[in-house]
Amino acid sequence: MNSEEIYSLLEPIIKNYLPEDVSPKQINRSSDLTRELNINSAHLVDIILDIEDVFNIEFKNEDMENLRNVNDAILLIQKKATI
Amino acid sequence: MKHNYILNSLPYSEPFLFVDEILFVSEDAMKGAYTFEPDAYFYKGHFKGNPITPGVILTECMAQIGLVCFGIYLLNGETISEKSTFALSSTEIDFYLPVYPGEKVFVVSEKIYFRFQKLKCKVKMLNAKEEVVAKGTISGMIFKRE
């Protein structure tokens, strides 16, 4: 799966958990999920669990440490989906 | 009493402690009990001249037993320390019956998942007649305080 395909599946997941004061237009590849998109830690877990379902992959605790922005998520998904 | 360490690790005290005992706990589920003090402060105003336990207090009791006590148990062996802190992240509870001053309630919690420090549970509150008083889902985060 290339990164455009991943992005097109990932964006609606993130959109689902955006707080009301953040516009979906603010989502791009470099958006920091917690600092810029204002997603709280509980919703970040929801996003991870949705990603696991959609992409049929599994995240580990250490993966969370490398997850800051949308691009990090795409790279992680890409890495895991090919294993 | 069994499970004393759970009660001792709770970050609450009077007048906002809503756990008396842990009756059962495993990796997947737990059960605890609490008896509402007949003269608890909130009965004075909820409602005027007609004391009924507020839904938020029932929710708090369900969260303290079903999420925080459970979380302390699930963390045990990993990183139980006084530096853990809990944050409620979401509740969705339906209420079926009133709980009056002095009533004893039982809280049963079943783990849906505990991942990445988020614990989500299906939680049910029963009265002494084993009637369902309230049920729903509660989730929260368990953080390590720096």
Side-chain angles (χ1 to χ4, degrees):
Chain A
M1 208 180 291
N2 67 37
S3 79
E4 277 76 37
E5 289 168 325
I6 293 175
Y7 186 83
S8 67
L9 292 168
L10 183 59
E11 197 204 6
I13 297 176
I14 297 171
K15 214 186 266 180
N16 214 5
Y17 296 101
L18 278 188
E20 281 186 21
D21 59 343
V22 177
S23 153
K25 288 182 194 136
Q26 282 174 256
I27 304 174
N28 62 58
R29 281 162 184 266
S30 64
S31 342
D32 187 296
L33 295 165
T34 54
R35 292 202 184 98
E36 285 165 36
L37 300 180
N38 239 343
I39 291 164
N40 69 29
S41 52
H43 282 157
L44 192 60
V45 177
D46 293 328
I47 289 175
I48 297 299
L49 299 182
D50 285 359
I51 290 174
E52 289 190 332
D53 288 344
V54 168
F55 295 93
N56 197 22
I57 54 177
E58 198 184 319
F59 281 87
K60 297 207 167 66
N61 282 329
E62 51 265 35
D63 295 325
M64 295 292 267
E65 290 159 23
N66 304 319
L67 186 69
R68 294 276 172 273
N69 61 34
V70 176
N71 218 23
D72 296 336
I74 293 173
L75 290 174
L76 266 171
I77 294 164
Q78 222 160 12
K79 203 170 96 192
K80 293 194 173 275
T82 53
I83 294 169
Chain B
M1 197 198 296
K2 274 195 303 181
H3 316 305
N4 247 344
Y5 76 95
I6 296 178
L7 298 177
N8 293 336
S9 310
L10 282 175
Y12 310 101
S13 69
E14 293 298 339
F16 220 74
L17 171 69
F18 299 108
V19 188
D20 286 333
E21 51 181 335
I22 308 295
L23 301 163
F24 166 83
V25 62
S26 74
E27 284 292 311
D28 303 306
M30 73 160 294
K31 185 176 182 180
Y34 181 70
T35 302
F36 286 96
E37 299 284 345
D39 54 356
Y41 68 94
F42 40 79
Y43 290 128
K44 208 180 135 200
H46 189 284
F47 299 97
K48 286 192 275 182
N50 179 26
I52 295 175
T53 315
V56 287
I57 299 290
L58 299 180
T59 304
E60 180 65 26
C61 177
M62 291 166 85
Q64 287 191 7
I65 296 174
L67 206 75
V68 179
C69 288
F70 201 5
I72 289 170
Y73 175 81
L74 294 173
L75 272 182
N76 193 31
E78 247 182 77
T79 48
I80 186 157
S81 80
E82 284 174 22
K83 289 184 173 170
S84 314
T85 178
F86 295 83
L88 194 60
S89 63
S90 127
T91 63
E92 193 180 344
I93 311 282
D94 290 320
F95 300 97
Y96 300 95
L97 291 170
V99 175
Y100 297 105
E103 264 196 62
K104 182 173 186 175
V105 292
F106 298 89
V107 173
V108 179
S109 178
E110 286 168 53
K111 182 175 76 183
I112 299 172
Y113 63 73
F114 180 37
R115 294 194 65 198
F116 309 113
Q117 298 178 294
K118 179 175 178 176
L119 176 60
K120 183 172 185 177
C121 296
K122 225 167 92 179
V123 187
K124 198 160 67 172
M125 180 182 273
L126 307 164
N127 62 20
K129 292 182 209 155
E130 302 218 349
E131 296 164 321
V132 177
V133 164
K135 67 175 184 190
T137 55
I138 306 182
S139 43
M141 300 295 294
I142 303 171
F143 298 103
K144 272 178 253 166
R145 248 184 290 161
E146 296 299 323

